[in-house]
Amino acid sequence: MADESGLEHHLADLAASGQRFAVPATAERIRARGDRLRRRKQAAAASGGVVLTAALAVGVLSLVRLGPGPAPAAVKPAASSTSRFVPPVPAPGEEYAGEIGYVYGAVLLEGDTVQVTVEQLRTGVVHKVTAPTHTPVEVKHLAGGKPGDMRLGELVGRLSAGPRWVFAVDYDGEGRIQSLREAFWLSVERDGQR
């Protein structure tokens, strides 16, 4: 029986040594997996912090204008209810967007504003817009062939008739007319008038 008990003792020692070597390996794998998870979480938190900081910076810059903005216009352009006209929007990095068309039918309104009809050259879309009388206008043929700067209020009489003069109309980002520039190279005779 001593042999049997010796064998049992020997087997018990072997099992105990196996457990000592097996348990630390399992514990080591669990510890390594935990370390990997912790490093991933730290990396995600760090990159998330960078992304969050960048998003906040972009958001703040888009909400806050750098420097003073343009003064609000007294009157916004009023498109007719049946018009397909949508004021052009400046391209990124551009201050103004424009359209080229016949400007006519000028009428002086109350509140120092002028309403004009614009017929786009490319599309033929006709719409009405209003602008302050002090809106700058670059002219040449309309002023008798002498290039110069005038104000829209000074040209109401000359622009009150039908389509005759072609202008480039500049709009700001909010759809307000900022200036008109006579496109004298495009001004053409209509109905034998000039």
Side-chain angles (χ1 to χ4, degrees), residues 1-10:
M1 293 247 197
D3 287 339
E4 287 181 18
S5 66
L7 182 61
E8 283 182 24
H9 180 64
H10 182 61

Side-chain angles (χ1 to χ4, degrees), residues 14 26 48-49 65 136 145 149 155 160 165-166 173 181:
L14 190 59
T26 303
R65 292 184 178 183
D149 294 329
L155 298 171
S160 62
W165 306 103
V166 179
R181 295 172 286 122

Side-chain angles (χ1 to χ4, degrees), residues 78-174:
S80 67
S81 60
T82 60
S83 175
R84 300 178 311 225
F85 174 71
V86 176
V89 178
E94 296 291 325
E95 189 173 3
Y96 301 118
E99 67 174 330
I100 296 179
Y102 288 101
V103 175
Y104 60 95
V107 178
L108 187 60
L109 302 176
E110 293 181 31
D112 292 328
T113 58
V114 176
Q115 181 183 51
V116 294
T117 301
V118 179
E119 178 184 339
Q120 293 178 344
L121 284 180
R122 282 188 182 171
T123 64
V125 171
V126 177
H127 60 93
K128 294 186 179 197
V129 292
T130 56
T133 56
H134 63 272
T135 302
V137 181
E138 294 177 22
V139 293
K140 182 176 179 180
H141 291 301
L142 190 62
K146 181 180 176 187
D149 294 329
M150 299 183 83
R151 300 288 175 205
L152 185 57
E154 298 174 85
L155 298 171
V156 171
R158 293 181 197 159
L159 296 174
S160 62
R164 183 176 172 188
W165 306 103
V166 179
F167 285 88
V169 184
D170 297 317
Y171 294 88
D172 66 10
E174 295 175 12

Side-chain angles (χ1 to χ4, degrees), residues 4 13-14 20-21 23-24 28 32-33 42 44 48 56 60-61 76 82 95 112 114 146 150 157-158 162 166 185 192:
E4 287 181 18
D13 285 342
L14 190 59
R20 271 185 278 153
F21 291 113
V23 172
E28 187 62 34
R33 189 174 343 140
Q42 288 172 345
L56 286 174
V60 167
L61 288 177
K76 289 188 176 183
T82 60
E95 189 173 3
D112 292 328
V114 176
K146 181 180 176 187
M150 299 183 83
R158 293 181 197 159
V166 179
W185 60 92

